[in-house]
Amino acid sequence: MTTPFKPVVGGSALAGDAPAPATKRNVPHRGGPANPSAEALRAQFGAAVRRVDVVWGETSVVVDGSRLEEIVRWLHDDPSQRYEFLADVTAVEFRDADQPLEVVWHLRSIAYRRFLRLKVELPRGAALEVQSVWPVFRAADWLERECYDMFGIRFNGHPDLRRILMWEQYREGFPLRKDFPLRGRFSRAEQLRQALAANPEARYSMEELSIADAFEDLPKEMRARLRSGEKTGE
Amino acid sequence: MGLINRPENDVVSYDPKGGEGWITTRLDFLVNWGRSNSLWPMPFGTACCAIEFMASAASQFDLARFGMERMSFSPRQADVLICAGRVPFKLAPVIRRIWQQMLQPKWCISMGACASTGGMFDNYAVVQGIDTIIPVDVYVPGCPPRPEGLIYGIMMLQEKVKRERAADASIRNEMEPDPTSQLYIPPSAINELSEPFGNSIHQQRSGL
C-alpha cells in the first residue's frame, strides 16, 4: 500500500486537495491550455498584452515595453498571481534583419506552481531600451547587467548598469549580437595588449565592497585609499 | 665538494668501517636533483583540466611521489605554475601577475589544449595560448589530458630541470616589466609583499 506524495510547499496558495505535481505527457508543440495568468493579464492590462503564445506547454506573453514594470509588479504583488521568483532575464536576437529583438523574463510562481515567460519586442532601428524590473526583483541586478553586457540593451532604472562578464574597459561591442564577429573586432595582439593593461585588482571598487560589507575587514591603509575614491589604479 | 658525515652524528656513513664518508659530485647535479624532486606546484585551474589535475594529486595517481604533494596556493612559495584550463582575457593580467610574483627558479606547465592554444575557444574572450602571456616549459596535450598525461609532462619537466646549468644565466632571464604598465610593481612593494602570506586565520589580500 502506497501513500500519495504530498509535497509540503511553504506558502502554497493551492488548496489542500490540489493534485501532486506531475510531468505533463503528450504536450503539443503549439497550442494547448495557456497559463491562467495570461488571461488575468489581459483582463488587467488590456491592450498592453500584445500576444499570448503557448509553445510546448509554456506560456509566453508579449507585452508593451512601456508598461513592463507595472505588469511585473502586479504579477509579483497580486495575491492571485504571486510570481515571487525571477528565474532569468535574457534577450534573443534573430537572424532575420527585420525581426525585432526580444527581451525575455522568466517568472515563476511558487505558490501557484506556474511558469510565465514575459517578452518585450524591441524594434530594429530604435534605441535598445527597456524598463528595469530591479525595483521589484533585486535578483534582476546581475541578470540585467549580463544582458546589457552581451546585447547592449539598456535597462532604465537599474541602479548600477555596468558590464559584468567582460571587463569594464571593453570597447569591442556586445558579443552576443548577430553583427559581432566571433573573434571580436580587434586583432589578437590588440586584445591581448588591452587585457594585460587592465589592473587585476581594479574591480575591487567601493561599490562592490559595500555589497559584501567586507569593507571593515580590509587593511587600514586600503580602507583609506578606497574611502578617498581611489579605484586602485584605474 | 665533500659531504661530511661525522661518526658521532649516527647517520648512514659511506664507509662501513666508520670514519669520515664523503662523496663527490657536480654542484649542478646536486642542485638540479633537489629541485626536480621538490617542484611545488601553483595550481591555476580554470576549467575541466583542473578536475584531472585534482585527480592527479589525489591518491590514485599521487603526485606526492614526485615531491609535489604540497600545492602552493601562494605564488611566492611555488616553483611550477600549472595552468589547467582556458584563460579568458579577463584573467590574462591575473596569471601574468601570479607568474611575476613567483620567485626564480620557476617553471610553467600548460595543461590541456585550451591553455596551450586556446583549443576550441577561438573566440573573442579566450587567450589563444598562455605562451602569449608567460613563458611555458612543457605543453601537455589533451582535452583534458588524463592524469598519466600530466604526470608524463611533469616528468619531462623534471628531465628539463636536471639538464639546467647554474652558469647559464640566460635561462633565468626575465623581461623587465614596463614601469608604465599597470602591472609594474616597484621593488619597495615587492619587498613588502615578500613577507609571509599570512596565516591560517588571517589571510589578507596583498596591499596592492
Side-chain angles (χ1 to χ4, degrees), chain B residues 16-200:
Chain B
K17 298 194 194 71
E20 292 186 341
W22 51 274
I23 57 171
T24 58
T25 181
R26 285 186 300 119
L27 180 59
D28 271 343
F29 174 83
L30 191 67
V31 169
N32 290 341
W33 173 78
R35 280 177 179 171
S36 64
N37 289 304
S38 65
L39 291 168
W40 284 0
M42 158 83 213
F44 191 83
T46 53
C48 36
C49 281
I51 304 295
E52 293 298 306
F53 177 69
M54 285 182 250
S56 314
S59 50
Q60 182 92 22
F61 295 95
D62 195 13
L63 273 187
R65 293 177 292 157
F66 304 95
M68 301 179 88
E69 69 267 46
R70 195 265 194 189
M71 295 297 146
S72 185
F73 291 98
S74 156
R76 298 187 191 285
Q77 289 137 23
D79 300 306
V80 50
L81 175 67
I82 297 182
C83 180
R86 66 193 87 94
V87 178
F89 280 122
K90 209 171 172 180
L91 270 182
V94 176
I95 189 171
R96 173 178 276 193
R97 176 171 285 190
I98 286 174
W99 177 254
Q100 288 176 346
Q101 283 170 337
M102 284 168 64
L103 304 181
Q104 292 279 14
K106 58 186 175 185
W107 298 272
C108 175
I109 293 178
S110 166
M111 178 180 177
C114 302
S116 303
T117 67
M120 61 187 277
F121 300 99
D122 186 7
N123 61 20
Y124 61 95
V126 176
V127 173
Q128 300 298 299
I130 58 165
D131 49 5
T132 57
I133 314 171
I134 56 176
V136 174
D137 291 286
V138 176
Y139 301 85
V140 181
C143 185
R146 280 191 54 85
E148 293 98 321
L150 177 64
I151 289 172
Y152 185 70
I154 287 168
M155 289 170 71
M156 281 175 76
L157 182 65
Q158 287 183 327
E159 289 305 312
K160 185 173 181 177
V161 172
K162 280 174 186 164
R163 284 203 298 274
E164 285 182 354
R165 293 181 63 234
D168 184 3
S170 66
I171 57 173
R172 298 276 161 258
N173 250 350
E174 276 196 75
M175 220 165 37
E176 275 298 308
D178 178 12
T180 59
S181 77
Q182 299 275 10
L183 287 167
Y184 182 70
I185 310 171
S188 59
I190 289 179
N191 282 345
E192 185 189 337
L193 288 171
S194 302
E195 289 166 6
F197 191 62
N199 56 40
S200 57

Side-chain angles (χ1 to χ4, degrees), chain A residues 150 164-167 170 175 180 182-184 188 191-192 195-201 203-204 219 221-222 225 233, chain B residues 88-90 92-94 96-97 121-128 132-133 181-183 192 202 204-208:
Chain A
M150 291 288 123
I164 186 169
L165 294 176
M166 308 310 286
W167 51 100
Y170 191 69
F180 187 89
L182 178 62
R183 291 179 180 145
R188 289 291 187 204
Q191 285 172 341
L192 201 62
L196 287 176
N199 182 345
E201 307 204 22
R203 286 185 295 278
Y204 284 80
E221 51 93 34
M222 192 168 178
R225 288 193 324 204
Chain B
F89 280 122
K90 209 171 172 180
V94 176
R96 173 178 276 193
R97 176 171 285 190
F121 300 99
D122 186 7
N123 61 20
Y124 61 95
V126 176
V127 173
Q128 300 298 299
T132 57
I133 314 171
S181 77
Q182 299 275 10
L183 287 167
E192 185 189 337
H202 187 63
Q204 64 186 29
R205 289 160 46 79
S206 71
L208 275 181

